[in-house]
Amino acid sequence: MSLKVSNILTTEEKEIISSTAFIHTMEKIFDPISVPIILVDKDTRVIMINKIFADFLGYPKEEIVGKKVLEVDEYSRFPYVLKNKKSEIAWKHKFKNGKTAIVHRIPVLDENNEVLYGFGLLLFQDVKEFKDIIEKNKLLEHALSHAKKQLQKINGAKYSWEHILGNSVGISEAILMGKRASKTKSTVLLLGESGTGKELFAHAIHHSSNRKHERFIKINCSAIPADLLESELFGYEEGAFTGAKKDGKIGKFELANGGSIFLDEIGDMPLSMQSKLLRVLQEKEIERVGGSHTIPLDVRVIAATNKNLDDMVKEGSFREDLFYRLNVMCIKIPPLRERVQDIEPLTIKLLQKLSDELGVYIKQVSSEAMAHLLNYDWPGNVRELENVLERAMNLADDDTIHTSHLPYNLLKNIEKAMNYKGQSLREIVEHTEKEVIMKCLEDTNFNKAKVASLLKISRSSLYDKIEKYKLE
């Protein structure tokens, strides 16, 4: 009877044969690879190294295999890695021959967490190569960032919700409505007095929508003559009228295809154009002036006006059907006189902005001057506030705006200003805060959770203020 060879081998001999076969297989796999690779046993003896790594170290493979790794490279950290059983990834290492590289050292463990092998790899054979790649990556990131900024400039949406300041109830509700509107495809109608920030809202709605990477086209309906508005909005074909460009012209709606179009001062649009805009909103297609075919569109319309469209509809100067088509998501932006508590934070932010633009660095507004700002009605709203501050900054002698730097129209309302005579700025602000909280409580039927949410303060802070001002 014959015995198989495997049956008469000792366990140690079997392990040697198995290990030799494993190493032979590893050499076949890794030797042709152009990445330097090394394998050591649990005693840090080199059992496999591919040719490119041996050449990097400056020895023939035959002289390296079988030696302990410290005999080949006295600076090797493999003994430390195998002892601690922790990998070292992307370490900078200087070899005995003076070369520097980025390396990986990885312990290979069995199911009992005991070391079997140590696996090493050179990620970069030269630190300079590594630095070059890092620099190229930085250049690519910079180029990508620049391209994104340029694309944003082309698209036109420059402002986001962070640019709209204020915690008053009216502006908070408008922002909340705007954020909800941005998540839809519906037409948005922005209503508010001149200077309240309707264009900022239009930018922010587009910027936070799923169209933010597409174009945001703006057009002021009151700034373009009635006879040119149609060709400006819808474009024209070659020869459509005397003076038309040879190849025709693309209109604003086509430019905005896939994105959003902001129709500012929609209340000033002529009746003849209103009917054509209504067709675009209903059919989602346009026809160029002088054209013979329709062009399908996917455009989100955001319209704005400082006029009372309800009254205009009754008067017959604005089409009722267009009004209802536009008035899907209606956002009313409150005037500055209805959000007194926002004047101080707005002033601080505008001072920072104007300081950067003008190079005139003003840090603060005196309490007397702030009292006048709080008492003024602001018919021109935030735009007027910015103009007043810019004027005051140009007149200021130091880093503070005083009453003498404010225009006469802010100071002439002396009767109202006298109500605050002898009061500190803190007392004036507290009086305003009390009035705002009381109005919110009344508007919400004393729902404190809702009031805290509207004012963006904690419930505990609201309770403290209610107790302080005795509003129960």
Side-chain angles (χ1 to χ4, degrees):
M1 184 177 72
S2 62
L3 294 174
K4 292 183 179 179
V5 176
S6 59
N7 291 339
I8 61 176
L9 293 177
T10 64
T11 301
E12 184 178 355
E13 288 170 332
K14 287 179 181 178
E15 288 179 356
I16 291 172
I17 291 173
S18 176
S19 178
T20 302
F22 170 70
I23 300 303
H24 184 65
T25 302
M26 292 287 284
E27 284 182 337
K28 280 187 174 182
I29 294 172
F30 291 116
D31 214 36
I33 293 177
S34 59
V35 179
I37 293 171
I38 189 171
L39 191 70
V40 302
D41 63 16
K42 61 184 179 181
D43 297 319
T44 74
R45 197 176 300 278
V46 179
I47 54 178
M48 192 281 294
I49 185 170
N50 63 355
K51 187 175 184 306
I52 190 171
F53 202 168
D55 292 342
F56 176 83
L57 295 173
Y59 300 104
K61 282 177 57 175
E62 294 74 17
E63 290 185 19
I64 297 175
V65 175
K67 289 183 178 180
K68 288 202 169 184
V69 72
L70 290 177
E71 295 178 46
V72 181
D73 176 25
E74 61 183 289
Y75 304 124
S76 175
R77 289 176 55 84
F78 259 120
Y80 177 84
V81 169
L82 298 187
K83 179 181 178 182
N84 291 277
K85 302 177 184 178
K86 291 183 179 179
S87 300
E88 291 182 347
I89 304 298
W91 276 58
K92 180 181 176 182
H93 181 72
K94 187 173 183 179
F95 289 87
K96 181 180 178 181
N97 59 12
K99 295 180 179 179
T100 305
I102 304 298
V103 304
H104 294 338
R105 303 184 189 92
I106 303 169
V108 180
L109 310 177
D110 64 11
E111 63 273 9
N112 298 315
N113 203 39
E114 295 298 325
V115 173
L116 292 174
Y117 304 102
F119 178 76
L121 177 148
L122 264 67
L123 188 61
F124 295 99
Q125 298 181 43
D126 189 337
V127 171
K128 185 178 181 304
E129 178 188 358
F130 178 65
K131 288 181 178 177
D132 287 345
I133 289 176
I134 294 296
E135 287 302 316
K136 287 177 182 177
N137 187 55
K138 285 182 179 178
L139 288 172
L140 285 172
E141 287 181 353
H142 178 73
L144 181 60
S145 175
H146 179 70
K148 285 182 177 178
K149 288 179 181 178
Q150 291 299 111
L151 183 61
Q152 190 176 42
K153 285 182 180 179
I154 294 170
N155 289 344
K158 298 183 292 185
Y159 307 110
S160 60
W161 297 115
E162 288 70 28
H163 292 92
I164 302 174
L165 303 177
N167 294 315
S168 59
V169 177
I171 200 69
S172 297
E173 289 179 346
I175 291 172
L176 178 62
M177 190 71 171
K179 287 180 177 179
R180 288 179 176 172
S182 69
K183 306 305 176 188
T184 73
K185 294 182 179 180
S186 300
T187 301
V188 178
L189 179 61
L190 302 172
L191 301 177
E193 295 177 7
S194 179
T196 50
K198 297 186 292 295
E199 184 169 344
L200 261 67
F201 268 80
H203 279 259
I205 289 169
H206 175 80
H207 190 271
S208 60
S209 72
N210 59 6
R211 297 170 181 257
K212 63 182 178 181
H213 297 301
E214 303 298 332
R215 290 193 173 188
F216 177 71
I217 303 299
K218 307 177 291 292
I219 187 165
N220 189 318
C221 300
S222 66
I224 301 172
D227 55 342
L228 296 179
L229 188 56
E230 181 178 3
S231 61
E232 192 69 23
L233 288 174
F234 308 135
Y236 57 81
E237 297 289 356
E238 180 179 353
F241 50 82
T242 304
K245 290 182 180 179
K246 182 180 178 182
D247 298 321
K249 180 184 175 182
I250 190 171
K252 299 295 187 184
F253 267 91
E254 277 187 84
L255 281 174
N257 199 12
S260 305
I261 187 167
F262 176 46
L263 301 177
D264 198 10
E265 306 297 350
I266 190 74
D268 293 322
M269 180 176 282
L271 274 170
S272 59
M273 274 303 301
Q274 291 179 26
S275 61
K276 293 176 181 178
L277 176 60
L278 177 64
R279 183 178 181 279
V280 172
L281 295 177
Q282 288 176 333
E283 307 299 331
K284 300 188 185 304
E285 61 184 23
I286 63 162
E287 187 174 309
R288 290 184 181 181
V289 176
S292 57
H293 66 282
T294 57
I295 301 170
L297 291 177
D298 173 24
V299 178
R300 204 277 180 80
V301 174
I302 305 172
T305 184
N306 60 4
K307 296 188 175 181
N308 190 321
L309 295 185
D310 284 309
D311 290 345
M312 292 182 68
V313 168
K314 291 173 185 175
E315 295 166 1
S317 58
F318 199 87
R319 291 183 63 108
E320 184 177 19
D321 46 7
L322 176 60
F323 173 65
Y324 290 129
R325 180 66 66 175
L326 291 172
N327 194 26
V328 178
M329 298 288 286
C330 181
I331 302 172
K332 295 182 179 179
I333 305 171
L336 193 54
R337 62 181 173 276
E338 292 180 8
R339 38 186 297 222
V340 178
Q341 72 182 92
D342 294 334
I343 290 176
E344 189 171 0
L346 274 169
T347 298
I348 294 169
K349 192 66 178 180
L350 288 171
L351 285 179
Q352 294 172 352
K353 174 194 170 188
L354 291 169
S355 291
D356 291 339
E357 291 177 359
L358 302 175
V360 179
Y361 298 100
I362 303 296
K363 294 181 180 179
Q364 57 193 342
V365 177
S366 71
S367 58
E368 295 83 4
M370 181 59 74
H372 284 290
L373 296 181
L374 292 170
N375 292 329
Y376 185 56
D377 284 337
W378 299 109
N381 295 293
V382 180
R383 186 182 295 132
E384 184 182 8
L385 174 61
E386 184 172 357
N387 291 342
V388 165
L389 292 175
E390 183 174 350
R391 175 188 185 275
M393 290 175 71
N394 287 322
L395 295 174
D397 300 315
D398 50 28
D399 64 353
T400 303
I401 291 176
H402 297 283
T403 303
S404 60
H405 304 137
L406 299 177
Y408 174 71
N409 61 316
L410 261 77
L411 309 177
K412 66 179 181 180
N413 193 7
I414 193 69
E415 184 179 342
K416 186 174 181 182
M418 286 297 290
N419 293 332
Y420 293 104
K421 188 175 182 181
Q423 294 186 38
S424 67
L425 177 62
R426 181 178 178 181
E427 289 171 330
I428 296 169
V429 171
E430 285 180 348
H431 175 75
T432 305
E433 185 178 61
K434 177 182 176 181
E435 289 185 344
V436 169
I437 293 173
M438 190 63 212
K439 187 175 187 310
C440 288
L441 288 168
E442 291 172 350
D443 290 347
T444 61
N445 198 25
F446 281 75
N447 185 328
K448 297 182 180 66
K450 190 170 183 180
V451 172
S453 176
L454 288 171
L455 296 179
K456 296 185 179 178
I457 60 175
S458 66
R459 281 200 212 179
S460 59
S461 295
L462 178 62
Y463 293 146
D464 290 342
K465 292 180 188 296
I466 289 173
E467 183 178 354
K468 175 181 175 181
Y469 300 128
K470 297 180 174 56
L471 298 177
E472 285 287 6

